[in-house]
């Protein structure tokens, strides 16, 4: 009975997240190391999608990574990341490494940050207003902010939903 209630709760949560967006996840499982990685497909493409997530499950431990991108790049001050939510709350990582590169005709800045579990809930519940990497700001549209929340919900519950591009590493 408890399992049925749990699955019903997850189903209702996923109903709020667009299932089409859940199909944009990729799961890579390595049975030899007991490591599974779930990420948005745009992480591999280094897309300019401003907020992306990655979940790594290995030997009973779960780690969440937050990928932040801005469409402008700067080779000055290559440290520091900030996320500001629409309610005014702010999270800063002053030592976050920021890398800039040229991609698809744009300079892009990227930072990959380990997201502690106590912050995951904030990213799931709140809308992001803008992100700042080093000196570069990226304002999010309403749809980008909603998409970030929906994708995170998909990543969080990826162990109980089917993902279109499951891949098992066999070598």
């Amino acid at each position: 009975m408890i399992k049925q209630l749990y699955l019903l709760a997850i189903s209702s949560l996923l109903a709020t997240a667009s299932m089409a967006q859940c199909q944009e996840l990729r799961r890579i499982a390595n049975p030899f190391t007991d490591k599974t990685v779930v990420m948005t497909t745009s992480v591999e493409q280094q897309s300019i999608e401003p907020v992306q997530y990655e979940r790594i499950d290995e030997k009973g431990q779960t780690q969440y990574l937050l990928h932040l991108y801005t469409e402008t790049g700067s080779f000055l001050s290559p440290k520091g990341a900030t996320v500001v939510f629409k309610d005014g709350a702010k999270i800063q990582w002053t030592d976050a490494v920021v890398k800039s590169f040229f991609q698809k005709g744009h300079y892009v800045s990227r930072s990959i940050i380990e997201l502690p579990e106590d912050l995951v809930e904030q990213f799931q519940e709140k809308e992001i207003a803008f992100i700042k990497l080093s000196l570069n700001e990226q304002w999010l549209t309403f749809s980008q902010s909603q998409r970030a929340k929906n994708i995170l919900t998909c990543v969080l519950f990826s162990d109980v939903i089917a993902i279109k591009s499951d891949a098992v590493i066999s070598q």
Side-chain angles (χ1 to χ4, degrees):
M1 179 70 174
I2 292 175
K3 185 176 181 180
Q4 290 172 336
L5 290 174
Y6 177 72
L7 290 175
L8 181 61
I10 289 173
S11 297
S12 66
L13 281 172
L14 291 177
T16 62
S18 171
M19 287 308 289
Q21 290 176 357
C22 290
Q23 293 301 312
E24 295 177 27
L25 296 181
R26 179 162 185 214
R27 180 180 8 237
I28 303 169
N30 188 331
F32 301 111
T33 62
D34 191 31
K35 181 177 181 178
T36 303
V37 177
V38 175
M39 68 183 104
T40 54
T41 55
S42 49
V43 166
E44 290 182 322
Q45 302 164 2
Q46 293 186 345
S47 171
I48 304 175
E49 185 76 33
V51 180
Q52 301 172 36
Y53 302 97
E54 186 173 355
R55 175 182 163 176
I56 302 168
D57 294 308
E58 185 171 21
K59 298 179 181 168
Q61 300 292 321
T62 300
Q63 176 186 27
Y64 297 98
L65 298 179
L66 173 65
H67 295 245
L68 299 174
Y69 290 84
T70 60
E71 291 183 10
T72 57
S74 171
F75 296 99
L76 302 172
S77 183
K79 282 193 174 183
T82 303
V83 172
V84 178
F85 297 98
K86 289 191 178 179
D87 68 358
K90 180 177 9 177
I91 302 172
Q92 291 182 298
W93 295 273
T94 55
D95 292 332
V97 175
V98 177
K99 295 188 178 189
S100 294
F101 51 93
F102 192 72
Q103 176 186 339
K104 298 181 183 179
H106 301 309
Y107 281 101
V108 176
S109 290
R110 174 187 73 196
S111 186
I112 301 172
I113 302 161
E114 184 171 350
L115 190 61
E117 287 192 40
D118 61 328
L119 294 180
V120 170
E121 186 175 313
Q122 286 188 47
F123 281 86
Q124 187 181 15
E125 293 177 356
K126 296 182 180 185
E127 292 183 27
I128 299 171
F130 73 91
I131 59 176
K132 182 175 180 180
L133 298 180
S134 181
L135 304 172
N136 309 301
E137 290 183 358
Q138 176 76 38
W139 287 85
L140 275 66
T141 65
F142 175 77
S143 61
Q144 287 174 320
S145 183
Q146 282 300 120
R147 178 179 164 74
K149 286 173 49 175
N150 292 346
I151 288 287
L152 179 57
T153 299
C154 294
V155 169
L156 289 172
F157 296 105
S158 61
D159 52 344
V160 294
I161 61 171
I163 295 176
K164 182 178 181 180
S165 58
D166 282 347
V168 176
I169 298 173
S170 60
Q171 296 179 354

